[in-house]
Amino acid sequence: MRAQPNGSHYIDGGYVEDESGEAFASIYPATGETIAELHAATPALIERAIAAAQKGQAVWAAMTGAERGRILRRAAAIMRDRNEALSELETLDTGKALSETLVADAASGADALEYFGALAADITGDYIDLGGSFAYTRREPLGVCAGIGAWNYPIQIASWKAAPALACGNAMIFKPSEVTPLTALKLAEILSEAGLPAGVFNVVQGMGPVGAALAGHPRIAKVSVTGSVPTGARVMQAASETTKHVTLELGGKSPIVVFADADLDAAVSGAILGNFYSTGQICSNGTRVFVERSVRAAFVEKLVARTRAITLGDPLRVTTDLGPLVSRAQYEKVLSYLEIGRQEGATVACGGGGAKVDGFPDGVFVEPTVFTDVTDDMRIAGEEIFGPVMCVLDFDDEEEAIARANASEFGLAAGVYTRDIQRGHRVVAKLQAGTCWINAYNLTPVEMPFGGFKRSGIGRENGRAALEHYSQVKSVYVEMGTSEAPY
Ligand code: NDP
């Protein structure tokens, strides 16, 4: 299986190759096959991308919001037309099951292009009456923005960053994770086809140092990174040297709190989706499931039965629920946490190890795993594992559940399951998390801002809130009388 792009990078409206950059490969994690060989961007190529972006941004910012929006919406339509091919490519690059990529990856990217395309004509300032004189504000682009992506939702992350950035009149240079370099290039192709001027959206490939070069570059006005907490901290530090705007979408160890009065089947569905979708590789996953003690046994029984029925298999077959993890490195990391959980004294209620899948002897599959008898001090309950590993904990009352749910350095997301609507809102108001759900989990419609509290991040993606993070306000005072000086 090959998915070799026409060049490693996409700069100034076309593919570019530069074999002097460090070589790396994209690997299909179900088989271990190399599907594409690429090269990291050299410092000279990064300079070329920045020059192209500056040139493109001037053209793009001079267009009206309505014109920009039309191009973004056209790109959304092309992306939807190509959903199947894009989903297959995303499955090859990430290993995620096609049953998911068909609905959650390019489709979500298209939602972002459509939504911000629709808002682009409505990015306006305010009029401020000063009793004779007046002021107004202009919402202006920042300039050239850098986007740095994680490997779990490659085209979605690229689109969630590009769509609001471009709607506001910025240009973007996007660096995908080296593990999943392919679909961002397709986004660039689609944007060009939709009429985006050359240089407005560029892709440069590479490892951490390429991201670091972008984050520290004086001609880049903003950097938005999706990745782990340590990477976010490094990006913020590099960005501080040139006082850049930053958006950080980082990791989590989010709680799902299930009260005894909840619809238990719905709560089990939430816990399953919030732990095993994308083979557990989702930043907002609710990996600490707190269940009120009186319903814990019933909850675990239903959960285990449904988890055992999850189908691991050929990611390209649409009946498969879960594919492998993204890479062998991630597989080793997840297996090590399964061992840590056992050593810490947690009980393996189901799963608990690597999985063998017929026809895929080299696939890095892991069984969806439920740990019970987990306590807050265990590493499996405190650290982000980023695999299909759920921890079930129990609690006795609401106050205790809130305190324990909040006892984390992370604050990305949280969920509450209850039939008591007052309790639902009361608890959510006290949870320290940027994105919360009541009687649902992990739904991220583009209209709703998404982002973290505490160490899980700064800034918001999606919703109107994202526009604030890709634009700056200029205030203009207009004197209608005469300027006077007291001396
Ligand atoms: P990493 O933090 O390892 O990498 C994220 C991106 O940053 C990659 O493109 C990486 O390049 C790049 N990078 C690495 N070092 C630097 C640096 N010093 N300066 C600039 N860029 C750098 O995360 P993963 O790719 O492993 O993704 C998993 C993490 O992402 C998890 O913690 C997860 O929770 C988080 N995440 C958060 C989301 C959110 O919206 N909050 C959504 C999805 C994931 P390379 O890969 O080439 O090394």
Side-chain angles (χ1 to χ4, degrees):
M1 249 176 283
R2 289 293 285 178
Q4 186 67 34
N6 294 334
S8 295
H9 319 281
Y10 196 97
I11 296 172
D12 210 9
Y15 278 98
V16 172
E17 190 53 275
D18 175 1
E19 292 183 357
S20 61
E22 189 182 337
F24 66 98
S26 169
I27 290 165
Y28 181 36
T31 59
E33 284 168 86
T34 293
I35 57 169
E37 282 153 301
L38 299 100
H39 294 91
T42 58
L45 204 85
I46 293 171
E47 290 302 326
R48 190 169 148 190
I50 293 172
Q54 282 187 310
K55 198 159 59 71
Q57 197 262 329
V59 175
W60 184 237
M63 290 165 67
T64 66
E67 288 167 328
R68 292 200 295 266
R70 211 169 292 137
I71 290 170
L72 295 180
R73 294 197 310 277
R74 211 177 289 141
I78 300 172
M79 203 182 255
R80 286 199 206 289
D81 281 349
R82 298 205 186 137
N83 185 45
E84 208 168 314
L86 291 169
S87 304
E88 278 169 17
L89 185 59
E90 199 73 301
T91 287
L92 291 178
D93 219 6
T94 61
K96 292 194 295 179
L98 189 61
S99 58
E100 283 189 22
T101 52
L102 281 170
V103 295
D105 292 77
S108 162
D111 287 350
L113 292 166
E114 197 166 58
Y115 174 81
F116 289 105
L119 287 183
D122 196 35
I123 299 171
T124 58
D126 292 321
Y127 170 83
I128 303 152
D129 187 353
L130 299 171
S133 294
F134 65 93
Y136 63 92
T137 59
R138 292 165 50 84
R139 196 160 268 287
E140 298 188 353
L142 301 171
V144 177
C145 302
I148 301 175
W151 41 254
N152 58 341
Y153 277 87
I155 198 167
Q156 184 197 86
I157 291 171
S159 306
W160 282 20
K161 295 189 190 308
L166 269 46
C168 291
N170 303 288
M172 176 162 271
I173 300 174
F174 187 79
K175 188 203 87 67
S177 165
E178 71 176 281
V179 182
T180 54
L182 301 179
T183 48
L185 295 167
K186 293 292 175 193
L187 170 64
E189 270 182 41
I190 288 170
L191 284 164
S192 290
E193 242 178 280
L196 191 76
V200 179
F201 182 74
N202 309 277
V203 178
V204 295
Q205 306 285 356
M207 300 58 149
V210 174
L214 294 171
H217 201 288
R219 284 190 288 149
I220 289 182
K222 179 197 168 106
V223 58
S224 172
V225 63
T226 297
S228 60
V229 168
T231 298
R234 280 194 285 274
V235 165
M236 195 170 175
Q237 197 170 14
S240 73
E241 296 289 320
T242 48
T243 326
K244 276 186 188 42
H245 297 248
V246 291
T247 293
L248 307 177
E249 291 290 348
L250 310 178
K253 190 79 190 176
S254 299
I256 300 179
V257 182
V258 180
F259 287 98
D261 67 352
D263 173 341
L264 272 201
D265 290 310
V268 168
S269 294
I272 286 179
L273 280 178
N275 277 273
F276 302 142
Y277 205 67
S278 293
T279 319
Q281 303 162 117
I282 299 185
C283 52
S284 51
N285 270 355
T287 42
R288 292 182 295 143
V289 182
F290 293 92
V291 185
E292 196 164 345
R293 199 178 305 275
S294 60
V295 293
R296 196 200 80 114
F299 179 89
V300 170
E301 193 184 324
K302 285 171 186 284
L303 175 66
V304 167
R306 285 178 57 186
T307 301
R308 288 207 172 113
I310 292 173
T311 322
L312 267 66
D314 180 351
L316 289 167
R317 196 183 301 149
V318 284
T319 49
T320 295
D321 295 321
L322 295 190
L325 289 168
V326 75
S327 63
R328 187 154 288 279
Q330 192 63 14
Y331 173 79
E332 302 294 348
K333 178 181 164 194
V334 172
L335 289 191
S336 78
Y337 272 104
L338 295 179
E339 190 47 37
I340 289 168
R342 280 198 186 83
Q343 281 171 11
E344 287 178 316
T347 303
V348 178
C350 63
K356 283 280 158 240
V357 170
D358 280 349
F360 295 88
D362 298 317
V364 282
F365 294 85
V366 171
E367 294 175 314
T369 298
V370 175
F371 276 119
T372 55
D373 302 315
V374 180
T375 53
D376 296 354
D377 56 339
M378 292 182 183
R379 284 182 60 193
I380 55 167
E383 297 172 15
E384 186 180 47
I385 300 173
F386 230 55
V389 185
M390 185 192 313
C391 292
V392 177
L393 307 100
D394 34 45
F395 70 93
D396 291 305
D397 66 55
E398 184 179 310
E399 218 172 301
E400 176 202 340
I402 294 167
R404 288 172 59 201
N406 286 338
S408 168
E409 60 175 356
F410 300 112
L412 187 55
V416 178
Y417 278 85
T418 176
R419 284 196 174 96
D420 176 342
I421 55 164
Q422 288 168 325
R423 170 146 63 189
H425 294 290
R426 184 172 65 234
V427 171
V428 148
K430 290 186 184 155
L431 289 173
Q432 297 163 355
T435 308
C436 294
W437 294 275
I438 299 175
N439 294 331
Y441 204 80
N442 258 357
L443 303 178
T444 53
V446 67
E447 300 89 338
M448 185 175 92
F450 178 83
F453 281 11
K454 300 199 278 189
R455 298 204 70 190
S456 290
I458 291 175
R460 291 294 174 268
E461 296 197 310
N462 290 344
R464 284 183 176 269
L467 297 176
E468 283 162 33
H469 298 289
Y470 282 104
S471 58
Q472 54 194 341
V473 172
K474 179 182 280 173
S475 295
V476 183
Y477 180 101
V478 182
E479 176 60 65
M480 294 298 281
T482 40
S483 278
E484 285 175 14
Y487 48 85

